[in-house]
Amino acid sequence: MSEWTPTTCMRCAVGCGHLQQGYTNNYGLDTVRGDASHPVNRGLACQRGIRETADPDGEWLTRPLIREDGTLVPTSWETAIGAVVSRVEDALAETPNGVAVLGSGQQTNEAAYALGKLARGGFGTRYYDANTTLCMASAVTAYYQAFGSDAPPPTYDDIPNAQTHVVWGANPAVAHPVMYRWIADSASDDDSRLIVVDPVESETVDDADRHVRVDPGTDLAFARAVLAQVVADDDVDREFVDEATTGFETTVDSLPSVREAAETAGVSIETVECVAAALTDSTLVYWGMGVNQSVQGTATARALIDLCLATGNLRPGSGPFSLTGQANSMGTRVCSSKGTWPGQREFADPDHRRTVADAWGVPPSRLPDDPGPGPVGIVDAVADGPPEVCWTVATNPVAGMPDGDRVREALDDAFLVAQDAFRTETVELADVVLPAATWGESEGTVTNMERRVSRVRAATGTSPKIKQDLDIVVAIGAAIDGKLFPQPTVSPESVFDELRQLTAGTPADLSGLSYDRLDAERAVRWPAPSADEEGGYRYVEGGEWTFPTPSGRARFSTGRHRGLAEPTDDEYPLTLTTGRRADAYNTGVRSRGDQTDSPPMARIHPETTLEHIEAFDRGKTVVSSRRGSTMIAVNPDDGVPKGTVWLPIHHPDVNALTLPVVDPESDEPNLKQCAVDVRAPEPSNPLVYDGHPTPDGDFVSTDD
């Protein structure tokens, strides 16, 4: 075996330090364990992160592929890159928006920066985004609106000091096991409590002092009910509100009555009173996809921030803490030019645009005027034009985006370039496949959810037929624009140096970081404007609050519950909601093993199964929405509300059902709630078992 190599776990955004050993005479990782010297986890590690690093499931890509006569066949890197460059140049000759690019929170900071530089500065396309918009965009938008900057104010250091932990629309016991241990330990103290707000019972609920079971899609109504109760109880921190915020009285005027909002959310007045009272103690409010993945995601995240502002929970030991899923979602937001220019420079600001254009050596006019329509809008554009080419990098939109059948059709009609480490549903549609290195094989940095930047390092080599993401991006970029990427290969360190210099003086300043510093300290929080500084709790220093907003104050909001994105009716009388399985990761390529061909397992209340007993056949049924259908296996479970169907969000069949409408402020899709029905399987119709309806949406027997 090789020497121990320190790195960062890439499974989720906790950012745990790992030590890894590769084989001496073979490719691959032999052993992975927690790194006791890493400041994030101090040696703790979850077994899923270790297993998926050392021994992931999925079929590895081992060489470039190109489609010939409808079949993907092996080819050389020269041929694969040449085909991509030729089609991209043809598309760009028509319009800068002729190419669409979908990146990922699985890329390093360096690869994400280079991809954004190529998409925005080389292509000039507005059709560029990352799959982080599918999970974090609403939280990001809410932070910007409230504070003038992205990212949680608290850090992990605040978790032990909180008395109340409110976990809202998230299941960190499964999604973030190491972080959840800190939450559970803190909440176990005699004077502390854990409150979980979630329509269904989860592993996190198992440890909760109180489970608030709101109706799916009504989180905003419940948050407003709690704030109305805080106001009624005169538990507002008036000193903080007057000194550090603006807009509070307007917010109060917009609040519904406690009773009205509680009824909308399906909870009791007593429950509202309990949660409101708990916020009078030092409180951390954590939220995840159950809040963000909604047409009201931004408004709901703003409402949770409002709760913290009104109760003075914006100081060490408290605050609004969005839980990030992907390992480098934060880095993608800061580095990749998808929603802001590097360092959180505003996209439309002409001075920021000029600074970026000068740094990249391109005319400002080449940079797009806006950040684009988000992933759902990009797929719509690929389907309808102008993009003729779509390039996906470390992402699987066919399985991970809503209304999956439409996504499949749109990408199948485009010239699709898929860059990945494993065969995925998206790879199967590609015209060119670019095999990329994965965890333990790549060099660079990532940024965790508390803003800590740390190194990822390779402990094993790869076959010459596999390249790192950064090398692939630069090779394509150098062929298209030799000024943007004057060298066909670059080192990750040189790219990081370019990135950190471009962020100097910005809200997300990385200029004080270097590979040498990260190697010595393992992980450093931004902003880090010098070699001996790093960020802590944001927006407060020496008891003084300052925010990067025009007024210098944090801003309250006035969002109100506007109803469900897709209410139930007689045709579709049940509500679908989705959640994370304990053993799943993203779209499951690394973790689902041989379950790909198995129907997804649905949790349904026993009384609901009895009410629809005619739709079930030996524990299976077909669940249908207005967009598609799929076969499911059924697990009767009274931890799910009556009238609700819970399905794993990461199964490739589930997103045939989900709703593609998006939050108007964040462009994040409403993946958490839509109307469905259950129907009896019809063995005579193979389309039912394939999980797809007939063209008219009905399940018609194929018998003669």
Side-chain angles (χ1 to χ4, degrees):
M1 291 183 292
S2 63
E3 297 295 320
W4 289 106
T5 300
T7 190
T8 305
C9 179
M10 292 291 286
R11 187 181 199 271
C12 78
V14 174
C16 295
H18 276 181
L19 294 173
Q20 53 190 2
Q21 282 183 323
Y23 292 105
T24 302
N25 299 316
N26 295 291
Y27 301 132
L29 297 177
D30 177 74
T31 305
V32 179
R33 72 184 190 193
D35 182 357
S37 67
H38 199 280
V40 168
N41 57 312
R42 303 294 182 186
L44 290 175
C46 74
Q47 288 305 306
R48 289 186 291 277
I50 287 176
R51 186 186 69 79
E52 289 168 27
T53 302
D55 187 26
D57 295 324
E59 180 182 347
W60 295 68
L61 295 169
T62 58
R63 62 186 305 172
L65 304 172
I66 195 165
R67 190 168 297 279
E68 293 182 358
D69 298 325
T71 302
L72 287 172
V73 298
T75 190
S76 67
W77 271 105
E78 182 180 11
T79 299
I81 295 292
V84 173
V85 170
S86 176
R87 291 301 295 262
V88 167
E89 288 180 334
D90 287 347
L92 294 178
E94 299 293 328
T95 169
N97 293 315
V99 180
V101 182
L102 293 172
S104 168
Q106 285 300 299
Q107 297 173 269
T108 62
N109 289 321
E110 293 79 0
Y113 171 75
L115 184 65
K117 180 180 180 181
L118 177 55
R120 300 302 200 188
F123 303 161
T125 185
R126 68 186 295 265
Y127 295 113
Y128 164 62
D129 213 297
N131 57 17
T132 56
T133 299
L134 302 177
C135 56
M136 292 308 303
S138 295
V140 170
T141 305
Y143 280 138
Y144 273 117
Q145 292 178 355
F147 303 133
S149 178
D150 174 24
T155 72
Y156 297 159
D157 295 340
D158 297 298
I159 295 174
N161 299 321
Q163 289 178 270
T164 299
H165 300 266
V166 180
V167 176
W168 201 306
N171 186 12
V174 159
H176 307 99
V178 171
M179 182 183 183
Y180 181 65
R181 178 169 171 177
W182 306 325
I183 296 172
D185 285 349
S186 177
S188 67
D189 292 345
D190 290 342
D191 61 345
S192 298
R193 65 184 68 82
L194 172 61
I195 298 170
V196 178
V197 182
D198 198 313
V200 304
E201 291 183 5
S202 67
E203 290 82 352
T204 302
V205 169
D206 292 343
D207 295 325
D209 297 288
R210 190 176 192 101
H211 177 203
V212 179
R213 183 175 269 175
V214 295
D215 290 342
T218 65
D219 300 271
L220 178 55
F222 180 59
R224 286 314 193 200
V226 174
L227 182 55
Q229 189 66 52
V230 168
V231 173
D233 293 341
D234 198 23
D235 283 332
V236 175
D237 187 331
R238 294 285 177 178
E239 180 179 356
F240 173 81
V241 167
D242 292 344
E243 180 180 348
T245 74
T246 184
F248 177 67
E249 296 304 329
T250 303
T251 297
V252 171
D253 291 342
S254 73
L255 291 174
S257 71
V258 174
R259 182 172 301 280
E260 173 194 356
E263 289 177 353
T264 299
V267 300
S268 67
I269 298 292
E270 186 270 336
T271 296
V272 175
E273 293 171 343
C274 172
V275 175
L279 296 177
T280 60
D281 293 325
S282 182
T283 301
L284 279 166
V285 178
Y286 316 83
W287 75 92
M289 303 310 100
V291 167
N292 294 335
Q293 291 176 334
S294 164
V295 291
Q296 299 181 138
T298 299
T300 306
R302 289 292 306 273
L304 301 186
I305 294 171
D306 288 346
L307 287 174
C308 293
L309 294 177
T311 55
N313 279 300
L314 200 75
R315 50 174 60 92
S318 66
F321 205 151
S322 62
L323 300 178
T324 306
Q326 291 191 72
N328 201 32
S329 177
M330 175 71 72
T332 302
R333 285 139 54 187
V334 169
C335 303
S336 76
S337 304
K338 79 177 195 66
T340 60
W341 301 114
Q344 297 187 358
R345 297 180 185 273
E346 292 183 22
F347 211 88
D349 186 291
D351 292 335
H352 289 322
R353 290 167 57 81
R354 191 174 301 108
T355 296
V356 173
D358 290 347
W360 290 349
V362 301
S365 59
R366 183 181 297 179
L367 304 182
D369 295 330
D370 64 73
V376 172
I378 288 175
V379 169
D380 290 342
V382 170
D384 302 329
E388 298 175 359
V389 176
C390 184
W391 179 13
T392 67
V393 181
T395 187
N396 185 16
V398 172
M401 288 185 62
D403 197 4
D405 288 345
R406 173 170 167 77
V407 175
R408 181 184 297 273
E409 292 169 4
L411 297 186
D412 198 25
D413 288 341
F415 184 84
L416 178 62
V417 181
Q419 180 172 321
D420 214 313
F422 299 93
R423 290 191 82 109
T424 68
E425 288 78 9
T426 302
V427 164
E428 296 301 333
L429 298 180
D431 295 283
V432 178
V433 178
L434 306 176
T438 184
W439 311 351
E441 303 171 345
S442 301
E443 294 282 341
T445 59
V446 292
T447 311
N448 75 353
M449 74 174 84
E450 62 152 358
R451 294 174 276 116
R452 266 189 167 130
V453 181
S454 59
R455 288 290 310 277
V456 292
R457 299 179 64 192
T460 179
T462 60
S463 159
K465 293 181 171 60
I466 296 172
K467 297 181 182 294
Q468 295 193 26
D469 280 324
L470 176 61
D471 293 333
I472 299 170
V473 172
V474 171
I476 294 171
I480 290 174
D481 188 337
K483 294 181 180 179
L484 197 67
F485 293 102
Q487 301 295 326
T489 60
V490 296
S491 70
E493 186 172 9
S494 68
V495 175
F496 186 75
D497 287 342
E498 179 181 323
L499 164 65
R500 67 188 183 91
Q501 290 164 14
L502 186 52
T503 67
T506 69
D509 194 330
L510 309 177
S511 61
L513 300 181
S514 66
Y515 273 26
D516 287 343
R517 182 180 180 186
L518 294 176
D519 287 343
E521 300 181 37
R522 289 290 199 263
V524 181
R525 289 190 200 100
W526 64 260
S530 70
D532 57 359
E533 291 181 273
E534 73 168 322
Y537 197 101
R538 303 191 77 192
Y539 312 126
V540 61
E541 186 172 354
E544 297 293 325
W545 286 275
T546 57
F547 302 89
T549 61
S551 66
R553 294 166 171 259
R555 297 176 286 208
F556 278 90
S557 67
T558 57
R560 295 194 65 171
H561 178 71
R562 303 296 182 186
L564 301 180
E566 187 177 56
T568 58
D569 57 21
D570 291 341
E571 185 177 5
Y572 295 96
L574 304 175
T575 296
L576 170 68
T577 191
T578 58
R580 189 187 298 267
R581 287 201 330 264
D583 58 346
Y585 177 85
N586 286 352
T587 60
V589 176
R590 300 185 73 99
S591 55
R592 66 190 180 215
D594 60 0
Q595 299 180 31
T596 306
D597 297 327
S598 302
M601 179 65 72
R603 300 169 61 191
I604 305 178
H605 195 282
E607 291 187 24
T608 303
T609 62
L610 290 175
E611 291 171 1
H612 298 267
I613 192 65
E614 72 285 350
F616 296 91
D617 180 10
R618 288 169 289 184
K620 294 182 179 180
T621 187
V622 173
V623 60
S624 301
S625 74
R626 290 178 173 84
R627 291 153 294 283
S629 302
T630 189
M631 176 75 76
I632 62 171
V634 178
N635 175 30
D637 184 348
D638 60 9
V640 176
K642 299 173 187 176
T644 297
V645 177
W646 182 100
L647 281 169
I649 195 169
H650 303 299
H651 194 286
D653 289 344
V654 171
N655 277 331
L657 308 170
T658 50
L659 194 64
V661 297
V662 300
D663 181 297
E665 298 177 283
S666 70
D667 292 323
E668 184 161 348
N670 192 88
L671 284 163
K672 288 297 180 186
Q673 179 274 325
C674 68
V676 297
D677 188 20
V678 288
R679 302 172 181 175
E682 297 186 28
S684 59
N685 183 0
L687 290 173
V688 174
Y689 279 101
D690 287 342
H692 300 284
T694 54
D696 62 1
D698 295 323
F699 298 106
V700 181
S701 174
T702 57
D703 288 348
D704 293 333

